[in-house]
């Protein structure tokens, strides 16, 4: 429930909402060209230290070849967060290269414990400009701290020693990779794994202890700049696919879908994955078995914006995806 005082305060400042023309940039005097550039919509930082009312400014820049007319700007946040005014309209028109700034107030509730991601969206509708008729901008902010690294999210035992197989439960049925057979295939604790242009590491933990992440939407800190984010792992069913979201240091985000084949039997290129290593047999609750059957580890990737610094990644919400490492590739 929102504090009544905040609701009254939000109503009191509605009249302060405004859509103001900002000083034109030098490009406003540049002659029009036949090629239009997309209208830009940006959102200022939002104060998430609630309960409070945060003032937010949305800037719309006309990068198209024509004057922009009938400009309206709307702004919204998470479900249930009140915003006033709901829409602002600009009188007159906006020259090429000029910007307009819309001011909104949003009611921010009390901060939740733990890590949360908040997404805000602004939409501009207009005539003229780039001719598209509308443009949207988003801003993503978070409160709390992501897990320090993937190891901090380990929640599954995927590798056991053949002399003690009982701790393993990679597939939910008590089975696991054999540490000895993985070593024979080149995967040793702390060892380097080169895949899809990235340098990854095999988990440097003792056999029979948590060594991988069953994906459940965990947020994991990651530093780097490159062309792709590479995941190392495998699936425990044929439905091990999902979407990961990458958050950049500038507050923007991007997402991509990937998947892994089942650790055995599925085609090695299922979901577009790349085979990294294949081990012989597996460990079962009663000891090593299934010799002659391959149990495998794969790599897959999603694209990154190479111009931006990665801050953290939110993993897919599909527990059939198991991850041993992730890294940014140049």
């Amino acid at each position: 429930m929102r504090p009544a005082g905040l609701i009254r305060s939000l109503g009191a400042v509605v009249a302060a909402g405004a859509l103001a023309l900002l000083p034109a940039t030098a490009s406003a005097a540049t002659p029009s060209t036949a090629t239009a550039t997309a209208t830009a919509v940006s959102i200022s930082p939002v104060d998430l230290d609630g309960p409070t009312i945060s003032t937010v400014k949305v800037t719309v820049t006309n990068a198209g070849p024509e004057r922009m007319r009938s400009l309206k700007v709307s702004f919204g946040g998470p479900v249930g967060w009140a915003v006033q005014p709901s829409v602002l309209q600009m009188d007159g028109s906006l020259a090429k290269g000029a910007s307009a700034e819309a001011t909104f107030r949003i009611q921010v509730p009390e901060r939740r414990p733990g890590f949360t991601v908040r997404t805000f969206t602004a939409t501009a509708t207009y005539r003229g400009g780039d001719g598209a008729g509308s443009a949207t901008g988003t801003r993503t902010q978070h409160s709390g701290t992501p897990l320090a690294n993937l190891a901090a999210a380990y929640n599954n035992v995927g590798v056991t020693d053949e002399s003690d197989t009982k701790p393993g439960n990679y597939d939910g049925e008590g089975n696991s990779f054999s540490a000895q057979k993985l070593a024979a295939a080149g995967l040793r604790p702390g060892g380097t794994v080169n895949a899809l242009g990235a340098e990854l590491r095999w988990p440097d933990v003792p056999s029979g202890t948590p060594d991988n992440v069953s994906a459940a939407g965990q947020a994991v800190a990651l530093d780097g700049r490159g062309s792709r984010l590479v995941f190392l792992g495998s699936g425990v069913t044929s439905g091990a696919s999902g979407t990961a979201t990458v958050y950049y240091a500038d507050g923007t985000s991007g997402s991509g879908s990937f998947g892994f084949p089942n650790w055995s039997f599925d085609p090695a290129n299922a979901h577009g994955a790349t085979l990294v290593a294949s081990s012989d047999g597996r460990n079962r609750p009663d000891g090593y078995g299934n010799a002659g059957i391959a149990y495998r580890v794969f790599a897959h990737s999603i694209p990154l914006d190479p111009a931006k610094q990665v801050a953290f990644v939110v993993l897919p919400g599909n527990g059939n995806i198991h991850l041993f490492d992730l890294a940014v590739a140049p």
Side-chain angles (χ1 to χ4, degrees):
M1 179 179 295
R2 298 186 181 92
L6 279 180
I7 295 174
R8 287 194 294 270
S9 298
L10 184 59
V13 298
V14 173
L19 183 53
L21 180 65
L22 298 180
T25 63
S27 61
T30 304
S32 297
T33 63
T35 302
T37 303
T39 297
V41 179
S42 61
I43 303 170
S44 68
V46 180
D47 180 6
L48 297 182
D49 192 15
T52 189
I53 295 172
S54 181
T55 298
V56 181
K57 296 184 182 297
V58 176
T59 303
V60 180
T61 301
N62 177 18
E66 307 295 335
R67 294 187 73 88
M68 182 180 287
R69 298 175 175 81
S70 304
L71 174 62
K72 294 182 180 180
V73 182
S74 61
F75 171 73
V79 174
W81 291 29
V83 176
Q84 290 187 349
S86 57
V87 179
L88 286 170
Q89 181 168 357
M90 176 184 170
D91 295 328
S93 62
L94 199 61
K96 176 188 175 183
S99 298
E101 187 177 84
T103 301
F104 298 88
R105 269 75 176 180
I106 184 168
Q107 187 169 306
V108 180
E110 186 173 359
R111 186 190 296 264
R112 289 183 180 178
F115 182 82
T116 56
V117 176
R118 304 298 192 186
T119 300
F120 303 89
T121 303
T123 299
T125 60
Y126 49 87
R127 293 189 296 112
D130 61 6
S134 67
T136 298
T138 61
R139 180 178 184 85
T140 301
Q141 294 181 218
H142 67 272
S143 59
T145 305
L147 296 169
N149 48 48
L150 192 68
Y154 287 170
N155 58 5
N156 180 266
V157 177
V159 181
T160 57
D161 192 279
E162 290 179 8
S163 66
D164 183 13
T165 64
K166 290 183 179 179
N169 194 27
Y170 191 64
D171 60 356
E173 297 179 357
N175 301 304
S176 57
F177 286 99
S178 159
Q180 286 83 351
K181 298 303 187 289
L182 284 176
L187 299 181
R188 298 176 177 84
T192 300
V193 182
N194 293 304
L196 301 180
E199 183 176 290
L200 303 111
R201 295 283 176 183
W202 193 249
D204 192 10
V205 297
S207 298
T209 62
D211 52 27
N212 74 95
V213 177
S214 175
Q218 299 93 332
V220 178
L222 185 66
D223 183 45
R225 191 188 301 259
S227 63
R228 64 172 71 179
L229 175 60
V230 179
F231 301 90
L232 181 69
S234 59
V236 296
T237 70
S238 297
S241 62
T243 299
T245 303
V246 178
Y247 292 88
Y248 297 101
D250 66 357
T252 61
S253 63
S255 61
S257 297
F258 73 98
F260 293 130
N262 186 37
W263 65 324
S264 188
F265 297 110
D266 273 355
N269 61 353
H271 302 292
T274 297
L275 179 65
V276 172
S278 181
S279 63
D280 181 32
R282 64 180 177 179
N283 285 343
R284 302 181 302 197
D286 59 353
Y288 173 76
N290 299 108
I293 298 176
Y295 291 85
R296 306 159 299 172
V297 176
F298 305 89
H300 210 322
S301 68
I302 61 173
L304 295 175
D305 185 335
K308 296 184 177 183
Q309 186 77 18
V310 175
F312 65 96
V313 180
V314 175
L315 303 179
N318 183 348
N320 294 321
I321 299 172
H322 285 246
L323 297 171
F324 292 100
D325 198 15
L326 72 169
V328 174

